[in-house]
Amino acid sequence: ALEPVRHGGDLDAARLRYPHAPEPWIDLSTGIDPLPYPVPPVAAEAWARLPTSSELQALLAAAARRYGAGDIDNMVAAPVTQALIQLLPRLTPRTRVAILGPTYDEHELCWRRHGHDVTVTDTLDAALRGGARVVVVVNPNNPTGRLVPPADLAAVAERLARTDGLLVVDEAFVDVLPAGASVVPDLPPATVVLRSFGKTYGLAGLRLGFAVAPADLATRMRTALGPWAVSGPAIAIGARALADDAWLAAATARLTADALRMDDLLRGAGCAIVGGTPLFRLADHDDAATLAQRLGRAGIHVRTFTRNDRWLRLGLPGDEPAWQRVAHALRDDTGSEGEGPRPLDP
Protein backbone atom coordinates (compact mmCIF):
# COMPACT_ATOMS: atom_id res chain seq x y z
CA ALA A 1 0.00 0.00 0.00
CA LEU A 2 1.25 3.47 -0.88
CA GLU A 3 1.16 6.17 1.76
CA PRO A 4 -1.17 9.08 0.98
CA VAL A 5 0.51 12.38 0.20
CA ARG A 6 0.50 15.11 2.84
CA HIS A 7 -0.75 18.39 1.38
CA GLY A 8 -1.04 22.00 2.41
CA GLY A 9 -4.42 23.38 3.39
CA ASP A 10 -4.86 20.86 6.22
CA LEU A 11 -6.13 23.37 8.78
CA ASP A 12 -7.87 20.73 10.87
CA ALA A 13 -4.50 19.10 11.55
CA ALA A 14 -2.93 22.51 12.27
CA ARG A 15 -5.63 23.31 14.84
CA LEU A 16 -5.05 19.97 16.56
CA ARG A 17 -1.32 20.59 16.66
CA TYR A 18 -1.64 24.15 18.00
CA PRO A 19 -4.90 24.16 20.00
CA HIS A 20 -4.23 27.55 21.60
CA ALA A 21 -3.32 29.40 18.40
CA PRO A 22 -5.38 32.54 17.72
CA GLU A 23 -8.25 32.45 15.26
CA PRO A 24 -8.80 33.00 12.43
CA TRP A 25 -5.90 31.00 11.07
CA ILE A 26 -3.89 32.45 8.21
CA ASP A 27 -3.34 29.60 5.77
CA LEU A 28 -0.08 30.14 3.87
CA SER A 29 0.41 26.40 3.28
CA THR A 30 -0.98 26.43 -0.27
CA GLY A 31 -0.17 28.34 -3.43
CA ILE A 32 -3.72 29.66 -3.88
CA ASP A 33 -4.39 33.33 -4.59
CA PRO A 34 -5.75 34.70 -1.29
CA LEU A 35 -7.92 37.26 -3.11
CA PRO A 36 -10.32 35.20 -5.22
CA TYR A 37 -11.97 36.22 -8.44
CA PRO A 38 -15.25 37.97 -7.60
CA VAL A 39 -17.84 35.28 -8.16
CA PRO A 40 -20.60 36.56 -10.46
CA PRO A 41 -24.27 35.77 -9.81
CA VAL A 42 -25.03 32.23 -10.95
CA ALA A 43 -28.43 31.57 -12.51
CA ALA A 44 -30.67 29.25 -10.53
CA GLU A 45 -30.91 26.78 -13.43
CA ALA A 46 -27.14 26.21 -13.25
CA TRP A 47 -27.77 24.55 -9.90
CA ALA A 48 -31.06 22.90 -10.78
CA ARG A 49 -30.38 21.19 -14.11
CA LEU A 50 -27.60 19.32 -15.88
CA PRO A 51 -25.14 21.47 -17.83
CA THR A 52 -25.82 21.71 -21.56
CA SER A 53 -23.36 20.88 -24.30
CA SER A 54 -23.35 24.49 -25.49
CA GLU A 55 -22.42 25.73 -22.00
CA LEU A 56 -19.53 23.29 -21.80
CA GLN A 57 -18.38 24.32 -25.28
CA ALA A 58 -18.39 27.96 -24.17
CA LEU A 59 -16.18 27.05 -21.18
CA LEU A 60 -13.77 25.12 -23.40
CA ALA A 61 -13.62 28.03 -25.84
CA ALA A 62 -12.80 30.46 -23.02
CA ALA A 63 -10.09 28.12 -21.71
CA ALA A 64 -8.64 27.57 -25.19
CA ARG A 65 -8.39 31.32 -25.70
CA ARG A 66 -6.90 31.96 -22.26
CA TYR A 67 -4.27 29.24 -22.61
CA GLY A 68 -3.48 29.76 -26.28
CA ALA A 69 -4.75 26.38 -27.48
CA GLY A 70 -5.56 26.09 -31.14
CA ASP A 71 -8.90 24.29 -31.00
CA ILE A 72 -11.45 23.20 -28.41
CA ASP A 73 -11.01 19.65 -29.75
CA ASN A 74 -7.71 19.74 -27.84
CA MET A 75 -9.39 20.82 -24.58
CA VAL A 76 -10.60 18.69 -21.69
CA ALA A 77 -12.49 20.12 -18.72
CA ALA A 78 -12.38 18.17 -15.48
CA PRO A 79 -13.58 18.41 -11.88
CA VAL A 80 -10.11 19.67 -10.84
CA THR A 81 -6.64 18.94 -12.22
CA GLN A 82 -6.11 16.24 -9.59
CA ALA A 83 -8.70 14.14 -11.42
CA LEU A 84 -6.58 14.37 -14.58
CA ILE A 85 -3.41 13.44 -12.68
CA GLN A 86 -5.21 10.31 -11.49
CA LEU A 87 -6.71 9.61 -14.93
CA LEU A 88 -3.59 9.60 -17.12
CA PRO A 89 -1.94 6.55 -15.49
CA ARG A 90 -5.15 4.57 -16.08
CA LEU A 91 -5.19 5.44 -19.78
CA THR A 92 -1.53 4.52 -20.30
CA PRO A 93 -0.30 0.89 -20.61
CA ARG A 94 2.18 0.03 -17.86
CA THR A 95 5.57 1.45 -18.74
CA ARG A 96 8.60 3.32 -17.43
CA VAL A 97 7.82 6.77 -16.08
CA ALA A 98 10.36 9.46 -15.17
CA ILE A 99 9.32 12.44 -13.07
CA LEU A 100 11.49 15.54 -12.88
CA GLY A 101 11.79 16.13 -9.17
CA PRO A 102 11.53 16.79 -6.38
CA THR A 103 8.03 17.96 -7.17
CA TYR A 104 4.32 17.57 -6.43
CA ASP A 105 4.16 14.05 -4.97
CA GLU A 106 0.73 13.12 -6.35
CA HIS A 107 2.27 12.49 -9.78
CA GLU A 108 4.57 9.78 -8.45
CA LEU A 109 1.87 8.29 -6.24
CA CYS A 110 -0.71 8.02 -9.03
CA TRP A 111 1.63 6.44 -11.58
CA ARG A 112 2.92 3.95 -9.00
CA ARG A 113 -0.60 3.13 -7.86
CA HIS A 114 -1.40 1.83 -11.35
CA GLY A 115 1.64 -0.39 -11.61
CA HIS A 116 4.03 1.80 -13.60
CA ASP A 117 7.80 1.66 -13.07
CA VAL A 118 8.48 5.16 -11.71
CA THR A 119 11.78 6.96 -11.23
CA VAL A 120 12.27 10.50 -9.94
CA THR A 121 15.19 12.19 -11.71
CA ASP A 122 16.80 15.60 -11.37
CA THR A 123 17.40 16.24 -15.10
CA LEU A 124 15.57 15.60 -18.34
CA ASP A 125 18.67 13.93 -19.78
CA ALA A 126 18.63 11.40 -16.95
CA ALA A 127 14.94 10.72 -17.62
CA LEU A 128 15.58 9.95 -21.26
CA ARG A 129 18.75 7.92 -20.61
CA GLY A 130 16.74 5.70 -18.30
CA GLY A 131 14.45 4.67 -21.13
CA ALA A 132 11.29 6.31 -19.85
CA ARG A 133 8.30 6.22 -22.18
CA VAL A 134 6.45 8.81 -20.07
CA VAL A 135 8.13 11.94 -18.69
CA VAL A 136 6.34 14.19 -16.18
CA VAL A 137 7.44 17.80 -15.62
CA VAL A 138 5.78 20.31 -13.29
CA ASN A 139 6.53 23.68 -14.88
CA PRO A 140 7.04 25.96 -13.02
CA ASN A 141 7.91 23.41 -10.41
CA ASN A 142 6.20 23.04 -7.06
CA PRO A 143 7.86 23.84 -4.68
CA THR A 144 11.13 25.09 -6.22
CA GLY A 145 9.72 27.27 -9.01
CA ARG A 146 12.22 25.79 -11.50
CA LEU A 147 11.14 26.64 -15.05
CA VAL A 148 12.15 24.44 -17.98
CA PRO A 149 12.20 26.42 -21.26
CA PRO A 150 9.44 25.34 -23.67
CA ALA A 151 12.06 24.60 -26.34
CA ASP A 152 13.68 22.02 -24.05
CA LEU A 153 10.32 20.41 -23.37
CA ALA A 154 9.55 20.33 -27.10
CA ALA A 155 12.83 18.48 -27.73
CA VAL A 156 11.89 15.87 -25.12
CA ALA A 157 8.43 15.50 -26.66
CA GLU A 158 9.90 14.94 -30.12
CA ARG A 159 12.03 12.08 -28.78
CA LEU A 160 9.13 10.53 -26.89
CA ALA A 161 6.84 10.77 -29.93
CA ARG A 162 9.19 8.49 -31.88
CA THR A 163 8.48 5.65 -29.43
CA ASP A 164 4.78 6.37 -28.85
CA GLY A 165 5.67 7.94 -25.53
CA LEU A 166 4.05 10.83 -23.69
CA LEU A 167 5.21 14.08 -22.12
CA VAL A 168 3.04 15.35 -19.25
CA VAL A 169 3.54 19.02 -18.37
CA ASP A 170 1.75 20.25 -15.24
CA GLU A 171 1.42 24.04 -15.60
CA ALA A 172 -0.61 24.59 -12.43
CA PHE A 173 1.23 27.83 -11.56
CA VAL A 174 2.05 29.21 -15.01
CA ASP A 175 -0.87 31.65 -15.36
CA VAL A 176 0.96 34.42 -13.50
CA LEU A 177 4.20 34.01 -15.48
CA PRO A 178 4.97 35.59 -18.87
CA ALA A 179 3.05 34.01 -21.74
CA GLY A 180 6.20 32.47 -23.21
CA ALA A 181 6.54 30.13 -20.22
CA SER A 182 3.75 27.81 -21.42
CA VAL A 183 4.10 25.11 -24.08
CA VAL A 184 0.41 25.26 -24.99
CA PRO A 185 0.54 27.84 -27.82
CA ASP A 186 3.02 25.60 -29.72
CA LEU A 187 1.89 22.27 -28.34
CA PRO A 188 4.57 19.65 -29.07
CA PRO A 189 3.61 16.19 -30.30
CA ALA A 190 2.78 13.50 -27.75
CA THR A 191 2.24 16.15 -25.05
CA VAL A 192 -0.56 16.71 -22.56
CA VAL A 193 -0.59 19.92 -20.53
CA LEU A 194 -2.49 20.24 -17.25
CA ARG A 195 -3.83 23.64 -16.19
CA SER A 196 -5.28 24.51 -12.80
CA PHE A 197 -8.10 27.04 -12.48
CA GLY A 198 -8.50 27.29 -8.71
CA LYS A 199 -4.97 28.39 -7.79
CA THR A 200 -4.66 31.55 -9.87
CA TYR A 201 -8.31 32.54 -9.56
CA GLY A 202 -8.41 31.81 -5.83
CA LEU A 203 -11.41 29.50 -6.21
CA ALA A 204 -9.99 26.12 -5.20
CA GLY A 205 -13.36 25.09 -3.82
CA LEU A 206 -14.90 25.32 -7.29
CA ARG A 207 -12.91 22.20 -8.32
CA LEU A 208 -12.14 22.95 -11.96
CA GLY A 209 -9.17 22.03 -14.13
CA PHE A 210 -8.21 21.52 -17.76
CA ALA A 211 -5.99 19.45 -20.02
CA VAL A 212 -4.67 20.43 -23.43
CA ALA A 213 -3.75 17.41 -25.52
CA PRO A 214 -3.69 16.02 -29.08
CA ALA A 215 -7.26 15.56 -30.26
CA ASP A 216 -7.24 11.76 -30.03
CA LEU A 217 -5.95 11.74 -26.46
CA ALA A 218 -8.30 14.56 -25.50
CA THR A 219 -11.21 12.46 -26.77
CA ARG A 220 -10.08 9.46 -24.72
CA MET A 221 -9.79 11.62 -21.61
CA ARG A 222 -13.24 13.16 -22.07
CA THR A 223 -14.72 9.68 -22.61
CA ALA A 224 -13.05 8.36 -19.46
CA LEU A 225 -14.33 11.28 -17.39
CA GLY A 226 -17.87 10.64 -18.62
CA PRO A 227 -20.77 13.05 -19.12
CA TRP A 228 -21.30 16.12 -16.92
CA ALA A 229 -17.83 15.90 -15.38
CA VAL A 230 -17.94 19.62 -14.54
CA SER A 231 -20.81 21.19 -12.60
CA GLY A 232 -23.05 23.89 -14.02
CA PRO A 233 -21.90 26.56 -11.52
CA ALA A 234 -18.24 25.74 -12.24
CA ILE A 235 -18.90 26.11 -15.97
CA ALA A 236 -20.61 29.47 -15.53
CA ILE A 237 -18.03 30.95 -13.17
CA GLY A 238 -15.05 29.48 -15.01
CA ALA A 239 -16.14 30.81 -18.41
CA ARG A 240 -16.63 34.29 -16.97
CA ALA A 241 -13.30 34.37 -15.13
CA LEU A 242 -11.22 32.98 -17.98
CA ALA A 243 -12.49 35.74 -20.27
CA ASP A 244 -11.58 38.51 -17.83
CA ASP A 245 -8.20 39.70 -19.09
CA ALA A 246 -8.13 42.82 -16.91
CA TRP A 247 -8.61 40.90 -13.67
CA LEU A 248 -5.81 38.44 -14.48
CA ALA A 249 -3.40 41.26 -15.37
CA ALA A 250 -4.16 43.08 -12.11
CA ALA A 251 -3.88 39.88 -10.07
CA THR A 252 -0.52 39.06 -11.65
CA ALA A 253 0.87 42.51 -10.82
CA ARG A 254 -0.44 42.29 -7.24
CA LEU A 255 0.95 38.80 -6.64
CA THR A 256 4.34 39.72 -8.09
CA ALA A 257 4.62 42.72 -5.75
CA ASP A 258 3.40 40.72 -2.75
CA ALA A 259 5.93 37.96 -3.44
CA LEU A 260 8.73 40.53 -3.16
CA ARG A 261 7.23 41.78 0.11
CA MET A 262 7.17 38.25 1.50
CA ASP A 263 10.80 37.75 0.43
CA ASP A 264 11.80 40.80 2.47
CA LEU A 265 9.99 39.49 5.57
CA LEU A 266 11.56 36.05 5.23
CA ARG A 267 15.06 37.42 4.79
CA GLY A 268 14.54 39.51 7.91
CA ALA A 269 13.78 36.26 9.78
CA GLY A 270 17.06 34.69 8.67
CA CYS A 271 15.74 32.82 5.63
CA ALA A 272 17.28 32.53 2.19
CA ILE A 273 14.85 32.56 -0.74
CA VAL A 274 15.66 29.49 -2.81
CA GLY A 275 12.70 29.37 -5.20
CA GLY A 276 9.04 29.99 -5.79
CA THR A 277 6.56 31.66 -8.09
CA PRO A 278 4.40 34.77 -7.63
CA LEU A 279 1.90 32.53 -5.82
CA PHE A 280 4.31 31.02 -3.26
CA ARG A 281 7.84 31.39 -1.93
CA LEU A 282 10.32 28.67 -0.97
CA ALA A 283 12.60 29.60 1.94
CA ASP A 284 15.62 27.87 3.44
CA HIS A 285 16.31 28.26 7.16
CA ASP A 286 18.85 26.70 9.54
CA ASP A 287 16.03 25.70 11.90
CA ALA A 288 12.95 25.61 9.71
CA ALA A 289 11.04 23.37 12.13
CA THR A 290 11.33 25.88 14.96
CA LEU A 291 10.30 28.73 12.68
CA ALA A 292 7.27 26.73 11.48
CA GLN A 293 6.31 26.08 15.12
CA ARG A 294 6.61 29.76 15.96
CA LEU A 295 4.29 30.59 13.08
CA GLY A 296 1.93 27.77 14.07
CA ARG A 297 1.61 29.10 17.60
CA ALA A 298 0.67 32.44 16.03
CA GLY A 299 -2.08 30.77 13.97
CA ILE A 300 -0.14 30.89 10.70
CA HIS A 301 0.01 27.63 8.75
CA VAL A 302 2.99 27.05 6.43
CA ARG A 303 4.19 24.04 4.44
CA THR A 304 7.11 21.96 5.71
CA PHE A 305 8.82 19.09 3.90
CA THR A 306 10.04 15.72 5.13
CA ARG A 307 12.45 15.45 2.19
CA ASN A 308 14.22 18.67 3.15
CA ASP A 309 13.91 19.80 6.75
CA ARG A 310 15.42 23.22 5.94
CA TRP A 311 12.60 24.21 3.59
CA LEU A 312 9.42 26.18 4.22
CA ARG A 313 6.91 27.06 1.51
CA LEU A 314 4.68 30.05 2.13
CA GLY A 315 1.79 31.48 0.17
CA LEU A 316 0.75 35.11 0.47
CA PRO A 317 -1.50 36.89 3.00
CA GLY A 318 -4.73 38.34 1.67
CA ASP A 319 -5.04 41.63 3.56
CA GLU A 320 -3.01 44.10 5.59
CA PRO A 321 -3.98 42.72 9.04
CA ALA A 322 -2.80 39.29 7.89
CA TRP A 323 0.46 40.77 6.60
CA GLN A 324 1.04 42.43 9.96
CA ARG A 325 0.39 39.19 11.85
CA VAL A 326 2.88 37.35 9.65
CA ALA A 327 5.47 40.12 10.00
CA HIS A 328 5.10 40.11 13.80
CA ALA A 329 5.37 36.31 14.03
CA LEU A 330 8.49 36.26 11.85
CA ARG A 331 10.12 38.97 13.98
CA ASP A 332 9.16 37.47 17.34
CA ASP A 333 11.80 35.09 18.68
CA THR A 334 10.05 34.64 22.02
CA GLY A 335 7.45 32.21 20.68
CA SER A 336 8.87 29.37 22.78
CA GLU A 337 6.82 30.60 25.73
CA GLY A 338 3.64 28.79 26.60
CA GLU A 339 2.38 25.46 25.36
CA GLY A 340 4.17 23.85 22.45
CA PRO A 341 2.56 21.94 19.61
CA ARG A 342 0.38 18.98 20.52
CA PRO A 343 1.74 15.79 18.89
CA LEU A 344 -0.45 14.35 16.16
CA ASP A 345 -1.50 10.72 16.13
CA PRO A 346 0.76 8.63 13.87
Side-chain angles (χ1 to χ4, degrees):
L2 298 173
E3 291 290 334
V5 172
R6 182 171 63 91
H7 294 289
D10 52 340
L11 280 179
D12 286 342
R15 288 188 172 100
L16 285 173
R17 191 166 179 79
Y18 301 99
H20 301 291
E23 293 279 352
W25 274 77
I26 300 172
D27 188 2
L28 304 185
S29 69
T30 71
I32 298 168
D33 189 340
L35 297 180
Y37 184 81
V39 176
V42 177
E45 58 263 25
W47 302 95
R49 59 164 172 76
L50 293 170
T52 66
S53 176
S54 60
E55 290 166 341
L56 178 59
Q57 296 301 300
L59 173 67
L60 294 175
R65 174 186 169 277
R66 163 59 51 215
Y67 302 145
D71 196 302
I72 65 171
D73 289 342
N74 302 113
M75 299 298 306
V76 181
V80 79
T81 311
Q82 179 64 35
L84 299 169
I85 293 173
Q86 296 174 196
L87 177 66
L88 285 170
R90 291 198 284 115
L91 297 181
T92 306
R94 289 182 179 179
T95 189
R96 289 185 179 179
V97 178
I99 299 172
L100 191 61
T103 192
Y104 181 56
D105 290 328
E106 285 287 346
H107 287 287
E108 180 182 359
L109 176 68
C110 291
W111 287 97
R112 287 191 187 280
R113 184 176 285 151
H114 289 280
H116 297 272
D117 180 5
V118 181
T119 302
V120 178
T121 67
D122 57 0
T123 68
L124 289 174
D125 286 343
L128 294 172
R129 285 198 307 270
R133 295 281 298 278
V134 175
V135 175
V136 180
V137 181
V138 180
N139 208 46
N141 189 42
N142 174 18
T144 66
R146 175 205 60 228
L147 187 66
V148 179
D152 293 353
L153 293 173
V156 172
E158 293 281 357
R159 290 185 59 176
L160 291 171
R162 297 185 204 125
T163 58
D164 294 324
L166 181 67
L167 174 65
V168 181
V169 184
D170 183 344
E171 294 186 343
F173 294 97
V174 83
D175 292 280
V176 291
L177 297 186
S182 173
V183 300
V184 172
D186 295 303
L187 188 68
T191 300
V192 56
V193 180
L194 308 180
R195 297 292 288 255
S196 170
F197 175 83
K199 292 181 177 63
T200 297
Y201 290 89
L203 296 172
L206 197 66
R207 314 312 288 149
L208 178 62
F210 298 92
V212 188
D216 58 341
L217 177 57
T219 298
R220 291 176 61 210
M221 295 174 74
R222 287 192 295 267
T223 300
L225 287 168
W228 310 299
V230 179
S231 72
I235 289 174
I237 295 168
R240 173 77 169 268
L242 289 165
D244 194 336
D245 297 347
W247 184 90
L248 182 59
T252 300
R254 166 178 52 81
L255 290 164
T256 301
D258 285 353
L260 295 175
R261 182 178 181 182
M262 178 61 78
D263 288 353
D264 287 342
L265 292 180
L266 290 168
R267 290 190 184 101
C271 296
I273 308 304
V274 294
T277 74
L279 281 163
F280 63 84
R281 314 308 292 158
L282 183 65
D284 180 279
H285 192 275
D286 290 338
D287 192 0
T290 297
L291 183 56
Q293 289 177 7
R294 184 199 308 172
L295 292 164
R297 283 191 290 267
I300 300 165
H301 189 27
V302 300
R303 183 73 160 86
T304 58
F305 297 90
T306 56
R307 61 174 168 245
N308 190 326
D309 60 8
R310 295 178 58 93
W311 280 0
L312 295 175
R313 192 193 67 193
L314 299 90
L316 302 173
D319 56 31
E320 190 57 30
W323 276 104
Q324 293 303 319
R325 277 181 63 187
V326 172
H328 178 76
L330 287 172
R331 286 194 305 265
D332 179 17
D333 60 1
T334 63
S336 58
E337 298 177 1
E339 183 176 339
R342 177 181 296 171
L344 294 177
D345 292 335

